[in-house]
Amino acid sequence: MSLMPFLLFAFVASITPGPTNILILTNSQHYGVRATLPALVSACVAASTIVLISGAGAGELLQQYPLVRQLMSWAGVLWLSWMSWQLFRAPAANLSRDAHTRFTARAAALLQVINPKTWMMALAVVSLFAPAEEHALRDIALMALWFLLISVACLVCWAWLGQAVNRLFRTPAAMVRFQRLMALCLFTSAWAGMLA
C-alpha cells in the first residue's frame, strides 16, 4: 500500500462537507467544542470501523446485494432530511444551549452506519488502497487506524469552525439564518449523495 495517496484520500474524505461535518459544526456552535467531542470521536470511530469491516469482506457483501445497500441509503437520506427540517425550523428561542437537541455520540455513530457517503468512502478505500497480499487484514486495520486519526483532526477543525460561528453571528436573527443555511447544506448533501 502506498501511504501518501491513502492519507490524502482520507483527508479529503474527512474534511469535505457532509452530513457529519455539518452536524458537528452545528453542535459545536450550540454547546462548544468540548461538549461536541463525544459525538466527534464516536463518528470517527464508527467510520473507521466501517473501513475495517469493509476491508474484512462486508464491502463485497454490499456490492453483491444492491438492494441492502439501497435500503441503507434511503434510510440515511430520510433520517438526514428529517434532521435538516428540525434544524431549519428551529426558531431563535431554540438556539440557546438548553433548548436545542444535542447531536449525541450514539446518533453520530448511527449516522455513519446509514450515511451513504461513509459507505462509499469505505468501499473506495478498500478497492483503491487495500493490499491483496498475505497480511492484508493487518494492513487494512492500519488503514482504519490512520483514517481514525485523520478524521478526528478534520472534524476537530469543523468543531472549531462551529465555535467561531458564534463570534461571527451575534444576533438571534443572524444565528437563525446561519442555522437555516446549515439545514439546507445538510439536506443537499444527503440528497446529492443519493442522486449521484
Side-chain angles (χ1 to χ4, degrees), residues 27-184:
N27 201 64
S28 176
Q29 172 195 0
H30 291 286
Y31 302 107
V33 174
R34 184 175 293 163
T36 303
L37 288 178
L40 186 152
V41 171
S42 178
C44 294
V45 168
S48 298
T49 302
I50 290 171
V51 169
L52 182 63
I53 290 170
S54 294
E60 289 181 28
L61 184 67
L62 283 176
Q63 289 178 340
Q64 290 175 358
Y65 296 101
L67 181 60
V68 173
R69 188 175 66 226
Q70 196 72 347
L71 287 173
M72 286 176 58
S73 294
W74 277 107
V77 165
L78 293 175
W79 187 58
L80 290 169
S81 297
W82 179 82
M83 289 183 79
S84 64
W85 175 246
Q86 296 300 311
L87 287 172
F88 188 85
R89 70 182 187 93
N94 285 347
L95 289 178
S96 69
R97 292 181 190 269
D98 298 331
H100 193 267
T101 303
R102 188 174 289 206
F103 186 46
T104 65
R106 182 181 200 190
L110 289 174
L111 173 60
Q112 302 318 301
V113 173
I114 62 171
N115 185 354
K117 179 186 174 188
T118 304
W119 284 97
M120 293 304 118
M121 175 277 308
L123 293 173
V125 163
V126 170
S127 63
L128 292 173
F129 302 106
E133 56 194 43
E134 187 177 324
H135 302 289
L137 192 56
R138 181 198 68 198
D139 291 342
I140 290 169
L142 287 172
M143 289 170 61
L145 178 62
W146 275 111
F147 186 83
L148 172 65
L149 298 173
I150 290 170
S151 62
V152 165
C154 291
L155 283 183
V156 164
C157 292
W158 279 89
W160 283 335
L161 181 62
Q163 192 66 43
V165 164
N166 289 332
R167 293 184 198 106
L168 297 173
F169 303 102
R170 294 181 184 264
T171 66
M175 290 294 270
V176 168
R177 283 193 297 275
F178 179 76
Q179 188 79 6
R180 289 183 175 164
L181 175 64
M182 289 297 100
L184 291 172

